[in-house]
Amino acid sequence: MYVWDPSENYILRDGSIESRLETLGASFGAELFEFNHKYMNQLGLSLPNVLYLDRTKSSYPFDFAMVEDVGNVDLPKYIQCHPESKKDVFEKLNEMLTKMHSHKIDKYGQLNKVAEILNQSSPLEEVILENSLQDLEYLSENVTSIRKNKDRLTEVLYSLYDAVPPRKEYGMIHGELGPDHVFVRQNGQPVLIDIEGVKFFDIEYEHSFMKFRFNDDYDYLRYENLDAHRMRFYKLHLHMSYTSGPLRVVQQGDFPDIEFMRDITKYNLKSTLSFLLE
């Protein structure tokens, strides 16, 4: 069962996030889930079937959906139980991602909004730069090690941005694809979950994220011909984003698993600062 209760979305509580959603795209809500599910189904991607979806709030004060039970076994758990199937499962996942990433258009943004866009004056990498600078400003105000190195990190960020060549073609990405966002059916077929953030974007964004989320298993999903400059630029952006976002949640103080958020913050803070050693 999926539940979209705004009171439990700790990221959206921070008002400063709203402007970012207009450019990077939202990743929460039944409307997005419904649209993305239909769109992705038409491409033949493997998803849990939707049995019932209610956006009326007539029964509960939130939107919800009943979806197919695909076994509640995520990718790491499945591989732990079926190590002999690891290569086959990753090949199927890679095939699905290839289909997604190869589905391209000349605009970036949410699946349900790109058709309305007539002109995008700002290149995607410029939007990412602006968001990264916002993250850096916030972090410099709240993290001593970032404050001490703000100027150097700004220089590194601009250097990586300047190296990114122009592009006007974008593939479909999941947006936050880690091992925990892939479930596996009993027959070994991987299934994508948490699809609200699916959008058209640089596929290097997805690969930069997958590279540190899948660790050594990323080799099963590695692509040739990715733009190395974009990979580096997005890697720094993502580490700063995943430092500032969880830190904001930690500062709210009422997240159920606060230590988990602290661990995410610490890991990404360390990864952000590592760019100063290269």
Side-chain angles (χ1 to χ4, degrees), residues 6 9-18 21 26-29 252:
N9 191 314
Y10 293 84
I11 294 294
L12 286 181
R13 288 184 186 177
D14 191 312
S16 65
I17 302 297
E18 290 296 330
L21 298 182
S27 58
F28 180 83
Q252 292 173 22

Side-chain angles (χ1 to χ4, degrees), residues 139-258:
L139 291 171
S140 69
E141 294 172 355
N142 291 274
V143 181
T144 301
S145 58
I146 296 292
R147 181 164 58 251
K148 291 179 178 179
N149 292 283
K150 181 183 177 183
D151 290 345
R152 293 176 61 199
L153 283 168
T154 302
E155 290 176 5
V156 172
L157 181 61
Y158 271 101
S159 175
L160 294 174
Y161 166 75
D162 289 339
V164 174
R167 176 186 286 171
K168 290 188 177 181
E169 187 178 54
Y170 308 96
M172 182 193 293
I173 69 169
H174 180 279
E176 198 176 14
L177 188 62
D180 52 339
H181 289 124
V182 181
F183 276 23
V184 185
R185 298 180 186 273
Q186 290 184 350
N187 64 1
Q189 176 61 46
V191 177
L192 298 179
I193 65 167
D194 294 347
I195 59 170
E196 295 94 314
V198 172
K199 53 182 169 275
F200 287 102
F201 230 63
D202 280 336
I203 64 171
E204 285 85 357
Y205 182 98
E206 185 110 285
H207 278 272
S208 294
F209 185 78
M210 291 195 301
K211 194 171 183 179
F212 66 81
R213 288 290 282 108
F214 282 90
N215 295 312
D216 292 342
D217 288 337
Y218 173 71
D219 286 339
Y220 290 102
L221 307 173
R222 187 183 302 275
Y223 279 14
E224 300 295 333
N225 302 320
L226 290 171
D227 182 344
H229 296 297
R230 273 183 166 79
M231 290 287 288
R232 294 289 298 153
F233 177 59
Y234 284 130
K235 178 174 170 60
L236 178 55
H237 160 74
L238 285 164
H239 285 310
M240 287 198 295
S241 177
Y242 279 88
T243 305
S244 66
L247 181 57
R248 294 174 195 269
V249 174
V250 169
Q251 289 176 332
Q252 292 173 22
D254 60 344
F255 187 74
D257 191 351
I258 202 75

Side-chain angles (χ1 to χ4, degrees), residues 9-47:
N9 191 314
Y10 293 84
I11 294 294
L12 286 181
R13 288 184 186 177
D14 191 312
S16 65
I17 302 297
E18 290 296 330
S19 62
R20 303 181 62 156
L21 298 182
E22 296 177 5
T23 51
L24 295 183
S27 58
F28 180 83
E31 181 181 358
L32 275 173
F33 175 83
E34 184 176 23
F35 187 96
N36 291 356
H37 193 281
K38 290 178 180 178
Y39 195 112
M40 296 170 76
N41 253 338
Q42 291 174 352
L43 293 180
L45 300 172
S46 181
L47 308 169

Side-chain angles (χ1 to χ4, degrees), residues 115-138:
E116 305 168 4
I117 298 173
L118 300 178
N119 180 49
Q120 288 179 318
S121 56
S122 298
L124 177 55
E125 57 271 18
E126 182 178 315
V127 173
I128 296 295
L129 174 66
E130 292 172 358
N131 280 275
S132 295
L133 290 170
Q134 292 175 26
D135 283 331
L136 186 55
E137 185 64 32
Y138 166 78

